[in-house]
Amino acid sequence: MHSKATPFDSEALGSRRAIIRHNPDDVHEVEMIEAAWGSNPRFSDGVCYEFIRSEGRSFPSNRCLVPASEFHIRNGEKKFRVTMEDGNFFYLAAIWEPAIGDWPVSYRIITVDANPEVMRYQERHGAIIQRRQVMQWLDCQVPETDLLVTPPAHLFLVEEILTKPVQTSLAF
């Protein structure tokens, strides 16, 4: 089974993913568009930032959501898949940036401290927005501090992604 990159996987940097946002030309319309993961490196000394910490920040505009059914984390050489314990999909809170020059519309995922299941592998992960919170996030209906929180324990299922050894064939 081939595993494709997920929105929270370093192998997906620069790739395009669907995001959900308010249409900047009609704020009453919610739209789904393709955007590149990571900020424009032209404005940050050649570095493409793919995450932004939630602490001490406000996100009054350009909010978006990245639909996901899982995200990937790494611990050393091992890679893990994180899904919701109940199997539901979710959204990752993000902010989008407009296209500039040859850099397309892009987004950065907002991070929070990891919950207990993920904390065993890494310190942070994307801020989870549940389906019932979608419009609260997009419309700024609820304070960010109420939405950008570390999820409770027993929310995630973490499983190692085992890679098959590469088989080589010798031709004579």
Side-chain angles (χ1 to χ4, degrees):
M1 180 174 167
H2 177 63
S3 174
K4 61 184 180 187
T6 66
F8 199 61
D9 183 347
S10 59
E11 294 172 7
L13 288 177
S15 63
R16 294 177 188 251
R17 296 283 180 257
I19 64 167
I20 299 167
R21 68 176 187 173
H22 278 291
N23 180 342
D25 298 324
D26 180 359
V27 295
H28 300 293
E29 178 187 343
V30 174
E31 65 180 1
M32 180 180 282
I33 65 164
E34 260 190 3
W37 184 27
S39 63
N40 189 332
R42 179 184 299 169
F43 301 104
S44 50
D45 295 326
V47 178
C48 181
Y49 290 100
E50 58 272 1
F51 302 107
I52 184 167
R53 295 174 75 94
S54 62
E55 294 84 5
R57 292 207 163 87
S58 176
F59 305 99
S61 63
N62 291 14
R63 290 182 179 188
C64 65
L65 295 164
V66 181
S69 58
E70 63 184 48
F71 60 87
H72 292 176
I73 57 177
R74 288 185 186 274
N75 186 317
E77 292 297 314
K78 293 184 177 183
K79 190 172 182 180
F80 300 87
R81 173 182 297 109
V82 182
T83 57
M84 299 288 276
E85 179 108 352
D86 61 9
N88 277 325
F89 70 90
F90 53 93
Y91 300 91
L92 296 168
I95 57 167
W96 66 272
E97 298 169 355
I100 298 176
D102 61 350
W103 195 260
V105 172
S106 60
Y107 67 94
R108 289 184 285 160
I109 295 172
I110 299 170
T111 64
V112 296
D113 287 332
N115 90 327
E117 290 88 41
V118 176
M119 181 61 76
R120 289 181 252 165
Y121 307 97
Q122 66 183 35
E123 295 178 8
R124 302 187 68 76
H125 60 70
I128 304 297
I129 301 293
Q130 302 287 349
R131 290 184 289 180
R132 68 182 180 280
Q133 300 170 313
V134 165
M135 294 315 295
Q136 293 172 346
W137 173 251
L138 291 177
D139 289 344
C140 305
Q141 295 174 358
V142 173
E144 291 143 332
T145 53
D146 292 349
L147 294 173
L148 302 176
V149 297
T150 298
H154 311 295
L155 184 71
F156 296 126
L157 176 63
V158 181
E159 56 188 356
E160 186 174 354
I161 299 171
L162 301 174
T163 56
K164 296 179 181 176
V166 177
Q167 293 181 339
T168 58
S169 58
L170 300 174
F172 295 97

